[in-house]
Amino acid sequence: MAEMEIDVRGQTCPVPLVECRKALKKAAPGDLVIVKGTHPASKKEIPMACEAMGLKVLEIEDKEGGKEWEIKIRR
């Protein structure tokens, strides 16, 4: 089981979602993909897209006093 980290801090839509989808396509079943970002809309869109793809969102965590977020997804 591998772990991939995608850093899209400072990027706005659609970049975070596109980069997340690329990582999820590369990841093997069981891998953990961690997406770090700052764009508020992406924090909502990424989990919805993951659920639509049948993937499990493990955690959505606010960082830096809510200025950043981290989403953990199991492939």
Side-chain angles (χ1 to χ4, degrees):
M1 220 165 53
E3 188 174 294
M4 295 175 113
E5 190 172 295
I6 309 304
D7 187 348
V8 289
R9 289 177 284 195
Q11 301 290 328
T12 59
C13 284
V15 175
L17 182 57
V18 170
E19 292 300 318
C20 179
R21 283 186 174 164
K22 282 187 202 174
L24 289 167
K25 284 182 182 178
K26 289 180 187 175
D31 285 357
L32 180 65
V33 176
I34 301 169
V35 186
K36 295 182 175 192
T38 52
H39 192 248
S42 295
K43 180 182 171 188
K44 295 176 185 170
E45 291 171 0
I46 290 172
M48 287 190 303
C50 290
E51 288 174 17
M53 292 188 282
L55 301 175
K56 183 168 177 76
V57 176
L58 302 176
E59 183 178 13
I60 302 169
E61 183 180 357
D62 283 321
K63 303 272 189 175
E64 301 296 323
K67 294 178 184 172
E68 295 182 7
W69 45 260
E70 184 176 285
I71 301 172
K72 295 180 181 177
I73 307 153
R74 177 74 63 204
R75 170 76 167 84

